[in-house]
């Protein structure tokens, strides 16, 4: 019964009870960037895609790169949470909520980019009117919608007991009280309810993994099913999935570091969590390096004229500095850092580098490939305009804003799961000693 | 103060949404689009012979929902005859529903026609536009007064022509004595020729007015043909040719295309005619068989709508995989096993979501305060 529920650690409820002016300042700054992006988009809608750098040769630019990137970072959350839950890894408990929240927020942002890429967003209806089951675009729409609903449900279910606890223990305004009552209505914490909840979460954890893998595979097929040099390759499915988990884990590490520092969650999000995810990041880094070498080596060895052109664009073309930055700064340097510098700071720096590299990788998949002429046409260099940069900045700010606001509405650490842990979730106040291999 | 901030933000957002100039203002519709209001011009009575010839009718209307093209023409005879011609791709019955707007309450006079086993069947009935069922006037105590019903074919479609006297002695048709305007709708059964069967679908209701003067629309003609190909294994490219009554091409005009599928007609999207009035439609066959394909020009700019229906026969690869355009009954594109499997997989995922959600929500259901439990209800019943 409600009265039998153990009292919750005030540290976990503090972000819901008190909001500092620094937080308001952060929200205002992020909202301002989002508003600027909204203005840029309204400018694009009024004037058409001619205000962007997109052309008939390079028709996918920053927008589609961002779509792939945000879908990718949504990945880590789900997989970390679902796989660790299925494997009964106890240490996962304090970070699952964080991971699930980043998944949902990244997906919400990602779902907007196909709309931004349309010069006539009112023609979105054509997807339903003329959509064909043979079209990868339709697969993608169905996949993302299914994944988003699943991710929302997978976030909501474990949230229910915490909603009841928050409603009981935190004095909030009428609107928030209504929200908690509405979403957690009927939860008493009885044994039967907990059993049902565990069962439902278990089902969702199993269901969401193949859905997540299929979504990114289908996203890769938008490229791979096209008869275009650099895209039409069988490696794209696993390459996208591997890269997505890679950037997703890096994003969860970043979110952990930020919320841990901002809400003083050192007791729950410990050095152990960083080291475990750091080790996972290192393994994934090696996997992505393997895929990357495999892809480029195969194309270079075959030396088909179109392949050679494409590799020249990448390695010596106008975006060559991004290509080498991605390989050196985003793949090799994090591998070195994660091997020899396994401190929280080292792991967080690696995560930042990985995310930058993965964004560059998405951009390099989309743009230089489209620049490579398939027929006797001239080359076309894509230069994003202020509109595209503004919308991109707004997307990143919007993602951060959604995560920040969410942390003020819902506990960012799953209180009931941490409370039910047989042993303390992490190491007791482990010292952040540097471990050098 | 805290409650005030969200309210102020909400008010600001609402103000911006209401006051800011709308970047998403509706785009002006293409001129060549029939708005649905049909005018019935006074002309000499068309020849009811199952063939619709140029100049026979002054007005027509293509309904995208039912894929029926309906022609109308009025005359000044004492009976005020309304001549109707319908071009239908369906093998089942088609219906023309009509009622005077001043007595409009959803009840309509309906004429249903079908062709089966070499015989034309006609029913003059009375029903409701939302129900898809109609009762013969004769069963209600009235009589059937539909005149000159005939049928024929054009391409792979069937043509029906009949005449409705608007000044009818039948009391179930008496509301049509109004001077108008009227409302009309179209209905069809996809495969049932039995006129008493439920409609598969009914179109939206459109206005129709009887004009005393005016200029009838210009005739248009839409034709399908196969583009010549040197290699019979190539995917078939069909040419859709749009011409006016003088045989001149109608360029830069949108033509809608359709393919018959297991779920009704699939709108394959618009194509636009070039300077020669020709648009290309490419069909990638997924297997051999006979497929009903169609194209429609929806009229506008003083021109009438027109349709073309053909059957595309795709030979199996063993037979050389050649293509032929012809007439007769067309098959439909069926959902293939792989696609059906994908649909089932996606539906299963959604069903799993629903199950997980309801497992929890059901455990959280609270009995209504004061309501007796099921055990108590049971003992009370005993």
């Amino acid at each position: 019964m409600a009265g039998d529920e153990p009292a919750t650690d005030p540290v976990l409820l503090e972000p819901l009870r008190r909001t500092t002016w620094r937080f308001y300042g952060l929200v205002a700054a992020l909202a301002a960037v989002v508003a600027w992006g909204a203005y840029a988009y309204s400018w694009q809608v009024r004037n058409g895609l001619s205000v962007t750098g997109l052309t008939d040769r390079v028709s996918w630019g920053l927008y589609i790169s961002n779509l792939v990137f945000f879908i990718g970072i949504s990945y880590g959350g789900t997989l970390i949470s679902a796989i660790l839950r299925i494997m009964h890894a106890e240490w996962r408990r304090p970070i699952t909520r964080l991971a699930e929240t980043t998944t949902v927020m990244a997906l919400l942002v990602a779902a907007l980019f196909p709309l931004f890429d349309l010069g006539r967003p009112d023609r979105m209806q054509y997807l339903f009117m003329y959509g064909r089951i043979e079209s990868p675009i339709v697969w993608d729409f169905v996949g993302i919608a299914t994944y988003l609903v699943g991710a929302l449900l997978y976030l909501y279910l474990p949230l229910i007991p915490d909603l009841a606890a928050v409603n009981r223990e935190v004095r909030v305004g009428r609107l928030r009280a209504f929200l908690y009552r509405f979403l957690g209505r009927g939860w008493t914490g009885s044994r039967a309810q907990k059993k049902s909840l565990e069962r439902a979460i278990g089902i969702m954890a199993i269901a969401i993994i193949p859905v997540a893998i299929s979504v990114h595979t289908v996203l890769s097929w938008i490229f791979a099913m096209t008869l275009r040099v650099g895209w039409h390759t069988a490696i794209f499915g696993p390459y996208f999935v591997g890269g997505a988990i890679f950037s997703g884990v890096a994003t969860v590490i970043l979110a952990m570091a930020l919320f841990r520092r901002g809400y003083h969650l050192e007791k729950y999000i410990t050095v152990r969590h960083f080291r475990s995810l750091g080790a996972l990041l290192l393994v994934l880094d090696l996997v992505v390096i393997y895929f990357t070498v495999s892809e480029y080596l195969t194309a270079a060895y075959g030396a088909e004229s179109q392949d050679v052109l494409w590799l020249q664009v990448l390695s010596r073309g106008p975006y060559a500095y991004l290509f080498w930055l991605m390989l050196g700064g985003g793949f090799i340097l994090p591998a070195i850092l994660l091997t020899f510098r396994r401190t929280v700071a080292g792991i967080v720096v690696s995560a930042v580098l990985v995310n930058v590299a993965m964004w560059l990788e998405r951009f390099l998949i989309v743009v230089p490939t489209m620049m490579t002429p398939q027929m006797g046409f001239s080359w076309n260099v894509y230069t994003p305009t202020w509109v595209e940069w503004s919308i991109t900045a707004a997307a990143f700010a919007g993602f951060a804003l959604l995560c920040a606001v969410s942390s003020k509405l819902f506990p960012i650490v799953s209180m009931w799961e941490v409370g039910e842990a047989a042993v303390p979730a992490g190491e007791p106040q482990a010292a952040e000693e540097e471990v050098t291999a | 103060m805290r409650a005030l901030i969200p309210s102020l933000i909400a008010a600001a957002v609402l103000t911006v949404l209401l006051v800011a100039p709308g970047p998403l203002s509706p785009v002006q519709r293409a001129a060549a689009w029939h708005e649905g209001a049909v005018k019935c011009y006074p002309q000499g009575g068309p020849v009811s012979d199952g063939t619709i010839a140029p100049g026979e009718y002054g007005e027509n209307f293509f309904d995208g929902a039912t894929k029926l093209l309906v022609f109308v023409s009025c005359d000044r005879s004492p009976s005020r005859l309304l001549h109707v011609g319908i071009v239908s791709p369906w093998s089942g019955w088609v219906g023309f529903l009509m009622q005077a707007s001043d007595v409009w309450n959803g009840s309509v006079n309906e004429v249903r026609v079908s062709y089966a086993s070499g015989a034309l069947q006609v029913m003059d009935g009375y029903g409701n536009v939302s129900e898809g069922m109609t009762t013969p006037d004769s069963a209600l105590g009235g009589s059937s007064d539909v005149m000159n019903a005939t049928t024929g074919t054009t391409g792979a479609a069937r043509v029906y022509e009949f005449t409705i006297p608007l000044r009818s002695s039948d009391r179930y048709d008496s509301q049509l004595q109004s001077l108008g305007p009227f409302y009309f709708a179209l209905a069809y059964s996809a495969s049932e020729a039995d006129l008493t069967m439920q409609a598969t679908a009914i179109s939206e209701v459109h206005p129709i007015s009887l004009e005393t003067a005016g200029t009838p629309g210009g005739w248009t003609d839409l034709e399908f043909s196969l583009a010549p190909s040197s290699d019979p294994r190539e995917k078939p490219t069909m040419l859709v040719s749009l011409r006016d009554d003088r045989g001149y091409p109608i360029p830069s005009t949108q033509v809608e295309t359709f393919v018959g599928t297991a779920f009704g007609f699939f709108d394959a999207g618009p194509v636009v005619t070039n300077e020669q009035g020709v648009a290309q439609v490419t069909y990638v066959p997924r297997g051999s068989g006979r497929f009903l394909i169609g194209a429609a020009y929806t009229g506008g700019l003083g021109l009438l709508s027109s349709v073309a229906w053909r059957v595309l026969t795709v030979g199996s690869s063993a037979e050389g995989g050649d293509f032929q355009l012809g007439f007769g009954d067309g098959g439909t594109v069926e959902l293939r096993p792989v696609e059906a499997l994908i649909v089932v997989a996606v539906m299963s995922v959604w069903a799993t979501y629903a199950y997980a959600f309801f497992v929890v929500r059901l455990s959280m259901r609270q009995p209504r305060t004061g309501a007796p439990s099921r055990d108590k209800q049971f003992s009370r019943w005993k």
Side-chain angles (χ1 to χ4, degrees):
Chain A
M1 297 296 289
D4 302 329
E5 294 285 340
T8 311
D9 187 347
V11 173
L12 299 178
L13 293 174
E14 188 62 14
L16 306 181
R17 288 196 173 113
R18 199 171 66 86
T19 303
T20 62
W21 284 109
R22 278 168 62 190
F23 182 85
Y24 282 125
L26 175 72
V27 166
L30 293 173
V33 178
V34 172
W36 177 253
Y39 168 71
Y41 180 60
S42 77
W43 182 260
Q44 178 186 305
V45 170
R46 277 178 286 186
N47 296 286
L49 282 178
S50 63
V51 299
T52 68
L54 298 171
T55 60
D56 54 347
R57 313 277 169 76
V58 183
S59 53
W60 289 351
L62 279 190
Y63 296 149
I64 299 301
S65 308
N66 286 327
L67 164 71
V68 182
F69 176 76
F70 275 103
I71 295 273
I73 65 172
S74 76
Y75 223 75
T78 304
L79 286 193
I80 287 172
S81 174
I83 292 175
L84 296 182
R85 202 185 285 275
I86 289 170
M87 294 172 71
H88 300 290
E90 290 297 319
W91 63 269
R92 76 170 199 279
R93 290 174 184 269
I95 62 168
T96 50
R97 177 73 46 76
L98 202 61
E100 290 151 13
T101 304
T102 56
T103 292
V104 171
M105 302 315 167
L107 269 176
L108 287 173
V109 174
L112 293 173
F113 277 103
L115 203 64
F116 296 153
D117 196 55
L118 287 176
R120 288 275 305 274
D122 53 309
R123 288 188 176 168
M124 193 72 186
Q125 56 173 316
Y126 285 10
L127 188 65
F128 306 99
M129 290 165 64
Y130 303 121
R132 298 175 60 181
I133 199 167
E134 298 91 337
S135 163
I137 300 280
V138 173
W139 305 345
D140 213 38
F141 176 79
V142 173
I144 292 176
T146 305
Y147 185 34
L148 179 58
V149 171
L152 272 170
L153 193 57
Y154 191 55
L155 172 66
Y156 168 64
L157 290 177
L159 200 56
I160 292 172
D162 284 357
L163 292 170
V166 171
N167 196 32
R168 193 173 59 240
E169 297 185 29
V170 183
R171 287 184 63 187
V172 292
R174 274 184 302 176
L175 197 65
R176 279 171 66 190
F178 170 77
L179 183 73
Y180 298 144
R181 274 201 308 275
F182 177 73
L183 293 176
R185 187 174 52 201
W187 180 262
T188 59
S190 69
R191 188 174 293 176
Q193 282 189 341
K194 283 184 178 169
K195 198 175 165 187
S196 299
L197 185 68
E198 294 279 6
R199 188 175 168 197
I201 293 172
I203 290 169
M204 283 305 298
I206 294 168
I208 203 80
I209 293 171
V211 171
I213 291 173
S214 65
V215 167
H216 223 67
T217 307
V218 166
L219 192 63
S220 80
W221 286 346
I222 285 193
F223 301 92
M225 297 298 179
T226 312
L227 296 175
R228 181 176 273 279
V229 171
W231 287 354
H232 191 57
T233 160
I235 205 173
F236 253 42
Y239 191 22
F240 267 54
V241 171
I245 306 173
F246 187 40
S247 60
V249 171
T251 305
V252 173
I253 290 173
L254 283 181
M256 277 164 47
L258 291 170
F259 283 111
R260 179 182 190 240
R261 191 180 183 88
Y263 292 150
H264 309 293
L265 298 173
E266 289 83 358
K267 183 178 165 190
Y268 293 95
I269 301 174
T270 64
V271 178
R272 179 187 174 182
H273 292 106
F274 284 95
R275 284 193 194 138
S276 300
L277 290 185
L280 183 59
L281 197 66
L282 177 59
V283 172
L284 291 166
D285 193 4
L286 298 176
V287 169
V288 170
I289 289 172
Y290 165 70
F291 278 140
T292 307
V293 170
S294 190
E295 189 196 7
Y296 295 134
L297 187 64
T298 311
Y301 197 81
E304 289 276 346
S305 57
Q306 291 288 321
D307 282 337
V308 171
L309 268 181
W310 166 60
L311 288 173
Q312 280 177 349
V313 176
L314 277 175
S315 57
R316 283 183 276 160
Y319 301 118
Y321 66 99
L322 297 180
F323 177 72
W324 295 113
L325 182 67
M326 173 192 80
L327 289 182
F331 293 166
I332 307 294
L333 186 57
I336 295 169
L337 274 176
L338 290 166
T339 308
F340 298 108
R341 192 82 181 166
R342 286 190 292 132
T343 60
V344 172
I347 292 166
V348 170
V349 168
S350 300
V352 172
L353 289 173
V354 164
N355 265 330
V356 172
M358 288 313 294
W359 188 89
L360 290 176
E361 196 227 12
R362 304 325 193 185
F363 182 80
L364 291 171
I365 284 177
V366 174
V367 173
T369 314
M370 292 201 95
M371 280 168 51
T372 310
Q374 301 287 293
M375 298 173 72
F377 300 139
S378 57
W379 289 76
N380 187 285
V381 176
Y382 167 69
T383 309
T385 63
W386 70 271
V387 173
E388 290 158 286
W389 285 121
S390 301
I391 291 175
T392 300
F396 281 93
F399 172 63
L401 184 63
L402 286 170
C403 290
V405 171
S406 165
S407 73
K408 284 290 168 189
L409 289 175
F410 308 112
I412 203 68
V413 172
S414 181
M415 301 186 305
W416 70 279
E417 285 192 274
V418 169
E420 284 193 349
V423 291
E427 293 169 1
Q429 288 294 96
E432 294 186 16
E433 78 276 22
E434 292 190 358
V435 179
T436 310
Chain B
M1 181 63 186
R2 281 194 168 188
L4 194 63
I5 292 171
S7 309
L8 286 174
I9 293 172
V13 170
L14 196 66
T15 309
V16 169
L17 288 175
L18 292 176
V19 176
L24 282 174
S25 57
V27 178
Q28 199 172 9
R29 255 185 176 172
W33 185 262
H34 210 301
E35 293 292 346
V38 174
K39 292 177 178 178
C40 193
Y41 296 105
Q43 283 187 296
V47 182
S48 189
D49 55 359
T51 304
I52 295 172
E56 208 175 346
Y57 293 86
E59 173 71 305
N60 72 357
F61 174 70
F62 177 75
D63 180 63
T66 58
K67 304 288 182 278
L68 295 174
L69 176 65
V70 60
F71 290 82
V72 288
S73 176
C74 301
D75 70 15
R76 296 196 180 97
S77 65
S79 299
R80 287 177 59 216
L81 301 178
L82 175 72
H83 305 276
V84 180
I86 298 177
V87 181
S88 163
W90 306 104
S91 58
W93 61 258
V94 295
F96 182 79
L97 297 75
M98 188 172 174
Q99 183 58 289
S101 62
D102 51 358
V103 294
W104 175 255
N105 62 358
S107 297
V108 285
N109 300 280
E110 180 174 1
V111 177
R112 285 186 180 184
V113 285
S114 72
Y115 180 78
S117 309
L120 174 67
Q121 301 175 68
V122 183
M123 183 170 81
D124 187 5
Y126 194 77
N128 192 286
V129 76
S130 60
E131 291 172 358
M133 293 294 286
T134 193
T135 309
D137 284 356
S138 54
L140 295 167
S143 61
S144 173
D145 53 4
V146 177
M147 302 155 58
N148 306 330
T150 55
T151 184
T153 56
T154 174
R158 180 150 290 280
V159 177
Y160 299 99
E161 287 188 287
F162 52 85
T163 305
I164 303 170
L166 297 181
R167 283 192 185 136
S168 170
S169 57
D170 179 14
R171 65 191 182 102
Y172 285 95
D173 293 333
S174 61
Q175 289 165 334
L176 296 179
Q177 291 183 11
S178 163
L179 290 175
F182 298 88
Y183 288 129
F184 81 96
L186 298 162
Y188 72 91
S189 169
S191 56
E192 295 290 342
D194 182 352
L195 299 175
T196 59
M197 297 300 286
Q198 176 90 17
T200 304
I202 304 176
S203 75
E204 286 182 25
V205 175
H206 305 283
I208 177 171
S209 58
L210 310 181
E211 302 292 310
T212 53
T215 310
W219 175 260
T220 62
D221 188 38
L222 203 56
E223 269 298 323
F224 260 125
S225 62
L226 267 177
S229 166
S230 54
D231 186 351
R233 288 166 302 178
E234 274 184 10
K235 56 191 176 185
T237 299
M238 280 158 288
L239 305 176
V240 186
S241 169
L242 182 63
R243 295 181 179 278
D244 64 15
D245 54 351
R246 293 173 296 172
Y248 292 151
I250 304 176
S252 307
T253 303
Q254 190 166 298
V255 175
E256 309 293 329
T257 57
F258 323 104
V259 181
T261 74
F263 308 107
F265 280 102
F266 166 71
D267 289 343
V271 290
V272 179
T273 58
N274 61 15
E275 286 179 2
Q276 283 77 43
V278 176
Q280 281 196 1
V281 184
T282 306
Y283 179 66
V284 183
R286 302 187 312 182
S288 58
R290 291 164 59 81
F291 304 101
L292 182 58
I293 56 172
Y297 164 57
T298 52
L301 297 172
L303 296 173
L304 296 181
S305 308
S306 50
V307 291
W309 295 101
R310 289 288 185 279
V311 171
L312 176 71
T313 305
V314 181
S316 66
S317 51
E319 298 163 351
D322 61 338
F323 309 101
Q324 288 177 344
L325 270 181
F327 311 123
D329 293 333
T332 56
V333 180
E334 304 289 339
L335 199 63
R336 291 194 300 183
V338 173
E339 294 158 358
L341 207 63
I342 293 169
V343 172
V344 169
V346 173
M347 298 303 288
S348 305
V349 170
W350 283 83
T352 308
Y353 291 172
Y355 176 74
F357 179 75
F358 284 109
V359 161
V360 177
R361 292 308 302 186
L362 282 176
S363 76
M364 291 164 67
R365 270 175 67 175
Q366 290 176 317
R368 282 174 296 164
T369 48
S373 68
R374 290 180 71 176
D375 290 344
K376 281 182 181 172
Q377 282 179 330
F378 182 66
S379 58
R380 190 184 296 167
W381 175 77
K382 279 209 297 184

